[in-house]
């Protein structure tokens, strides 16, 4: 059984929980209270070597790569079952570690477990093709595992993101070394221990923890790693690319965003207003696909802004462990300072404060990294707040005139992760969906993906797709086998005379 009450969290290498070889640790802190939660093992490069070696041995030795797909299915379902069985404790652990509202964290872990089940089922359905070839030849393809995959994960959806990568990686027969974010390492460690309980062979799932700039970079550059699957900031994504480019190792990248919600004058505001509120303030705005730019058509602009502000002011901000809380703390006091600086910058550039912009009045929240959900109205798309990813509870609201301008402004971003359209005009919905340059478009729907629906970005939002069967493609190599099946020996130079 998993231990959720301990105050020391180990590395998990080759199915063994062990401290870092140096004995070093770093602190895990609850950002809602400042309370010290636990000490996490701080891996040395030699620990990373050991984790990669264990994953290599499981892969090369056939321990995992050659298990039959049915066995992979059963083990993945078993792990999912253990996650469901420990759902409440895992949610509590993660809510304390990242300060997010427990109702949100719980839903995310459920989503992660569901994605694991999706890929558990997919392990037995990996298919190849036969292709047209000249008479006397047969060509078929199959998809094979890539090898050892490094899964590098951010703090905003810790366990969900880990499971999102783990499912397709393992279903396809790869072995993994997981590097969780330092601010949210505990749930990945517990998950790996549950995987040992489920019966995964040694070396299949390894977890190393420690500073990204040190051991994350070391892992990404490790010659024993065949693929890096990274989710995080665009900036660190560039370091990952640098780490893999020399020897062309495989990589997929889920990066940042500045995703727009487009609210047309014909929208049903009873859906669009709460939808837009949810899609920026869920997870206190710390979502890669947060709809942080809200583009509103001029005739309904004033009405929208006042309804948006009124509904935002009613959000329940507070103790992450209270099941009624809707918006918890930010990941750290330092991160809050960065978000507050953006708000000040937006106001200095001419935006108007529609709601929020301050810390909660409740003295009980004073030692936590809280910030009231904030809306900056009358923004223009050239402002820094409208261009850069703030990654906090700050909505930028911009007026637009007509569909053409809405599309142009929506696409005027270095990012292209997601967009929402709010309209009752079906033709417009599909027309605009086709014109938006992003990997995901939701129509009359704030966001959320389901197991099976592709997720990933255009432009600087990344490379590759997750959540759907496309992720299996990204965790496999395509092999083409060409067979000569003619009656006479193959002799292209005519050497047989
Ligand atoms: P981050 O700073 O990029 O860190 C992500 C992960 O990379 C962490 O595990 C981090 O470890 C590690 N890391 C840091 N520097 C590294 C390096 N030089 N080499 C290798 N690994 C390194 O991102 P974050 O601050 O945790 O998360 C916020 C970002 O993630 C936002 O930009 C957000 O948009 C993005 N995100 C994208 C998606 C998506 O699906 N597109 C989903 C969620 C989040 P440490 O924690 O130890 O630094
Ligand atoms: Mg970071």
């Amino acid at each position: 059984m998993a231990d959720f009450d301990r105050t020391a969290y180990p590395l998990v290498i080759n199915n063994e929980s062990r401290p870092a070889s140096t004995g070093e640790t770093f602190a895990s802190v609850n950002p809602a209270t400042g309370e010290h939660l636990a000490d996490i093992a701080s891996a040395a490069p030699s620990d990373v070597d050991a984790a990669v070696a264990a994953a290599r041995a499981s892969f090369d030795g056939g321990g995992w790569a050659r298990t039959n797909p049915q066995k992979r299915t059963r083990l993945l379902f078993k792990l999912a079952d253990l996650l469901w069985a420990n759902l409440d404790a895992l949610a509590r652990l993660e809510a304390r570690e990242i300060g997010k509202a427990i109702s949100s964290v719980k839903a995310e872990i459920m989503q992660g477990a569901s994605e694991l089940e999706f890929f558990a089922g997919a392990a037995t359905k990996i298919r190849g093709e036969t292709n047209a070839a000249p008479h006397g030849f047969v060509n078929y393809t199959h998809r094979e595992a890539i090898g050892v995959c490094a899964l590098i994960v951010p703090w905003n959806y810790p366990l969900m993101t880990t499971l999102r990568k783990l499912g397709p990686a393992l279903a396809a027969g790869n072995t993994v070394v997981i590097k969780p974010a330092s601010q949210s390492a505990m749930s990945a460690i517990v998950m790996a221990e549950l995987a040992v309980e489920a019966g995964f062979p040694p070396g299949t799932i390894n977890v190393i923890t420690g500073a990204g700039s040190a051991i994350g970079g070391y892992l990404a550059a490790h010659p024993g790693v065949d693929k890096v699957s990274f989710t995080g900031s665009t900036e660190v994504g560039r370091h990952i690319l640098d780490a893999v480019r020399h020897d062309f190792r495989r990589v997929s990248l889920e990066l940042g965003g500045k995703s727009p919600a487009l609210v047309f004058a014909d929208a049903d505001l009873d859906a669009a207003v709460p939808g837009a509120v949810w899609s920026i303030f869920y997870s206190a705005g710390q979502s890669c696909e947060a709809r942080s730019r809200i583009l509103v058509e001029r005739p309904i602009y004033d009405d929208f802004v006042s309804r948006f502000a009124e509904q935002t002011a009613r959000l329940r901000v507070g103790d992450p462990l209270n099941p009624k809380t809707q918006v918890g703390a930010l990941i750290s006091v330092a991160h809050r300072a960065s978000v507050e600086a953006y708000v000040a910058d937006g106001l200095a550039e001419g935006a108007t404060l529609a709601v929020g912009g301050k810390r909660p009045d409740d003295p009980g929240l004073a030692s936590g990294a809280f910030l009231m959900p904030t809306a900056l109205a009358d923004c223009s798309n050239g402002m820094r707040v409208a261009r850069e990813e703030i990654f906090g509870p700050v909505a930028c609201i911009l007026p637009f005139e007509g569909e053409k301008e809405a599309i142009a402004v929506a696409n005027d971003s270095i990012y292209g992760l997601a967009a929402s359209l709010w309209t009752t005009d079906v033709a417009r919905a599909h027309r605009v969906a086709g014109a938006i340059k992003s990997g995901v478009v939701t129509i009359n729907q704030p966001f959320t993906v389901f197991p099976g629906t592709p997720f990933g970005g255009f432009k600087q939002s990344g490379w590759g797709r997750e959540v759907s069967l496309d992720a299996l493609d990204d965790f496999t190599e395509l092999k083409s086998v060409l067979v000569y099946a003619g009656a006479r020996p193959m002799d292209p130079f005519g050497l047989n005379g």
Side-chain angles (χ1 to χ4, degrees):
M1 275 309 289
D3 176 3
F4 291 92
D5 295 320
R6 67 192 135 163
T7 53
Y9 282 77
L11 311 174
V12 183
I13 298 175
N14 212 28
N15 278 8
E16 288 164 17
S17 299
R18 51 164 113 156
S21 54
T22 56
E24 280 179 30
T25 60
F26 61 93
S28 169
V29 173
N30 181 339
T33 60
E35 161 206 14
H36 174 267
L37 292 173
D39 295 311
I40 316 282
S42 182
S46 61
D47 297 315
V48 180
D49 292 341
V52 173
R56 272 258 70 91
S58 172
F59 186 80
D60 297 335
W64 182 249
R66 294 200 200 128
T67 46
N68 71 43
Q70 288 79 3
K71 184 168 178 197
R72 283 183 224 153
T73 295
R74 279 197 301 275
L75 282 172
L76 286 165
F77 271 123
K78 224 165 159 182
L79 175 57
D81 286 347
L82 287 171
L83 294 169
W84 287 109
N86 288 283
L87 180 62
D88 287 330
L90 281 165
R92 207 181 133 74
L93 187 78
E94 209 161 83
R96 291 172 76 215
E97 193 171 31
I98 62 172
K100 194 186 291 195
I102 194 159
S103 60
S104 303
V105 166
K106 198 166 167 180
E108 290 158 19
I109 297 173
M110 290 164 70
Q111 166 82 14
S114 303
E115 289 183 26
L116 203 61
E117 290 169 339
F118 175 85
F119 287 105
T124 53
K125 293 159 196 79
I126 298 172
R127 295 167 18 139
E129 293 175 332
T130 52
N131 298 301
H135 185 72
F137 291 88
V138 178
N139 174 235
Y140 64 89
T141 62
H142 59 86
R143 292 203 163 265
E144 53 187 62
I146 298 173
V148 173
C149 298
L151 313 181
I152 304 181
V153 174
W155 47 260
N156 59 332
Y157 294 85
L159 189 52
M160 185 186 85
T161 308
T162 304
L163 297 170
R164 178 165 290 180
K165 295 180 185 303
L166 190 70
L170 295 183
N174 303 282
T175 58
V176 306
V177 178
I178 300 166
K179 155 59 186 111
S182 297
Q183 285 156 316
S184 62
M186 301 194 305
S187 55
I189 297 164
V190 173
M191 184 280 296
E193 292 172 341
L194 291 174
V196 175
E197 195 179 321
F200 281 85
T204 308
I205 302 174
N206 307 277
V207 180
I208 53 145
T209 45
S213 53
I215 58 129
Y218 184 78
L219 174 66
H222 203 292
V225 168
D226 301 298
K227 174 182 167 121
V228 182
S229 174
F230 171 80
T231 298
S233 60
T234 296
E235 188 194 341
V236 175
R238 279 195 193 93
H239 291 298
I240 301 290
L241 266 186
D242 285 341
V244 300
R245 63 192 259 276
H246 180 72
D247 34 13
F248 300 100
R249 283 171 304 120
R250 301 298 177 252
V251 66
S252 44
L253 303 164
E254 293 289 348
L255 308 174
K258 193 73 194 178
S259 297
L262 283 62
V263 187
F264 290 94
D266 60 36
D268 172 5
L269 288 189
D270 286 343
V273 176
V277 167
W278 193 87
S279 66
I280 175 62
F281 298 125
Y282 181 83
S283 184
Q286 303 169 121
S287 287
C288 51
E289 65 159 328
R291 305 302 195 263
S292 51
R293 289 187 295 150
I294 305 175
L295 282 43
V296 184
E297 199 161 13
R298 189 52 95 175
I300 57 161
Y301 180 78
D302 291 337
D303 186 26
F304 180 91
V305 171
S306 70
R307 287 172 68 168
F308 186 92
E310 185 274 322
Q311 292 190 18
T312 297
R314 283 196 276 123
L315 293 175
R316 292 188 295 273
V317 179
D319 176 8
L321 295 179
N322 181 339
K324 293 214 164 89
T325 293
Q326 294 168 313
V327 180
L330 302 191
I331 189 65
S332 67
V333 169
H335 183 53
R336 177 180 61 186
S338 142
V339 176
E340 287 175 329
Y342 271 111
V343 173
D345 194 76
L347 295 174
E349 281 200 87
T352 52
L353 186 66
V355 65
K358 60 184 180 77
R359 299 175 189 180
D361 298 326
D362 180 353
L365 302 178
S367 51
F370 291 90
L371 185 66
M372 296 304 285
T374 300
L376 299 174
D378 310 325
C379 292
S380 70
N381 206 48
M383 291 178 180
R384 207 162 73 89
V385 283
R387 304 203 75 76
E388 296 178 13
E389 184 180 49
I390 299 173
F391 222 58
V394 182
C396 296
I397 310 182
L398 300 77
F400 72 83
E401 312 265 4
E403 189 178 304
K404 207 169 147 205
E405 191 189 13
I407 293 167
V409 173
N411 287 339
D412 177 18
S413 172
I414 60 167
Y415 297 112
L417 187 53
S420 302
L421 312 180
W422 297 95
T423 176
T424 50
D425 178 337
V426 175
R428 162 178 280 159
H430 293 289
R431 190 166 61 234
V432 177
I436 295 285
K437 296 196 187 316
S438 67
V440 174
V441 179
T442 57
I443 298 172
N444 295 327
Q445 154 76 20
F447 60 71
T448 65
V449 289
F450 301 110
T453 60
F455 183 75
F458 286 15
K459 301 195 272 185
Q460 292 188 34
S461 290
W463 285 353
R465 292 295 178 271
E466 296 192 316
V467 190
S468 62
L469 289 178
D470 309 83
L472 269 186
D473 291 353
D474 285 356
F475 274 104
T476 51
E477 293 279 16
L478 182 72
K479 182 171 283 175
S480 172
V481 180
L482 183 64
V483 184
Y484 171 62
R488 296 183 194 183
M490 169 60 70
D491 179 15
F493 275 132
L495 301 177
N496 286 332

